[in-house]
């Protein structure tokens, strides 16, 4: 069984593993059921730069976005998190399932430096499914960049 995210990873030719699990209620629980360390369970957050201008930020599960660092990297004064409906309209995915793979729009990707060189587990476009990929290969395929954009949660 595939979906837009799994199809996109396959089309990129990326080595990957699809991990199907039951419902989870936290990042910690998701890491446990997927059998990964929490820093390798990577949240894909949608950040709004301006009207109809978004980006994906890949954040390790034990960290949060550092807004000052991200604003400095992007050279902007304001950033915000869109509401759930706006995030779905911008990506095609519901919160908790968002991934840059197979998104309805290929927004820019910024991955926290701490993911570099690691195998990470991202959302896979549907609840209860994870997508395990090499961070370096994934960010390269998405034409993304690595940067220090997080702080301890």
């Amino acid at each position: 069984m595939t979906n837009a995210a799994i199809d996109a990873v396959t089309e990129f030719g990326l080595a990957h593993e699809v991990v199907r699990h039951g419902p989870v209620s936290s990042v910690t629980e998701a890491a446990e059921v997927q059998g990964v360390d929490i820093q390798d369970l990577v949240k894909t957050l949608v950040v709004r730069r301006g009207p109809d201008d978004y980006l994906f930020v890949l954040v390790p599960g034990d960290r949060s976005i550092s807004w000052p660092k991200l604003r400095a990297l992007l050279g902007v004064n304001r950033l915000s998190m869109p509401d759930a409906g706006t995030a779905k309209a911008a990506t095609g995915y519901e919160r908790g399932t968002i991934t840059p793979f197979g998104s309805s729009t290929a927004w820019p990707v910024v991955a926290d430096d701490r993911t570099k060189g690691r195998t990470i587990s991202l959302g896979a476009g549907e609840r209860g499914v994870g997508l395990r990929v090499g961070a370096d290969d994934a960010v390269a395929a998405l034409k993304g960049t690595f940067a220090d954009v997080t702080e301890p949660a």
Side-chain angles (χ1 to χ4, degrees):
M1 179 188 276
T2 66
N3 61 28
I6 296 166
D7 290 346
V9 170
T10 302
E11 287 172 21
F12 278 125
L14 295 176
H16 65 280
E17 179 183 355
V18 176
V19 181
R20 295 187 184 278
H21 56 83
V24 295
S25 58
S26 69
V27 173
T28 302
E29 187 180 352
E32 287 174 9
V33 300
Q34 291 187 43
V36 299
D37 293 334
I38 193 161
Q39 70 262 22
D40 294 328
L41 194 291
V42 174
K43 303 171 282 192
T44 301
L45 303 179
V46 179
V47 174
R48 182 179 181 270
R49 285 192 283 200
D52 296 319
D53 184 15
Y54 301 91
L55 67 140
F56 293 112
V57 182
L58 305 183
V59 178
D62 59 345
R63 299 188 65 85
S64 299
I65 290 176
S66 168
W67 294 103
K69 289 178 183 180
L70 187 58
R71 285 192 304 269
L73 175 72
L74 300 173
V76 298
N77 293 324
R78 285 191 55 191
L79 294 168
S80 63
M81 298 286 289
D83 63 41
T86 303
K88 183 171 182 181
T91 67
Y93 295 121
E94 293 181 16
R95 276 199 185 147
T97 70
I98 295 173
T99 178
F101 291 106
S103 173
S104 56
T105 301
W107 301 111
V109 174
V110 175
D112 187 69
D113 272 340
R114 287 154 193 84
T115 63
K116 193 181 284 189
R118 300 187 71 88
T119 298
I120 59 173
S121 185
L122 297 167
E126 61 185 90
R127 298 211 183 276
V129 183
L131 190 57
R132 199 166 297 152
V133 294
D136 296 5
D137 292 339
V139 172
L142 295 163
K143 296 181 174 62
T145 58
F146 287 101
D148 178 12
V149 294
T150 66
E151 59 193 14

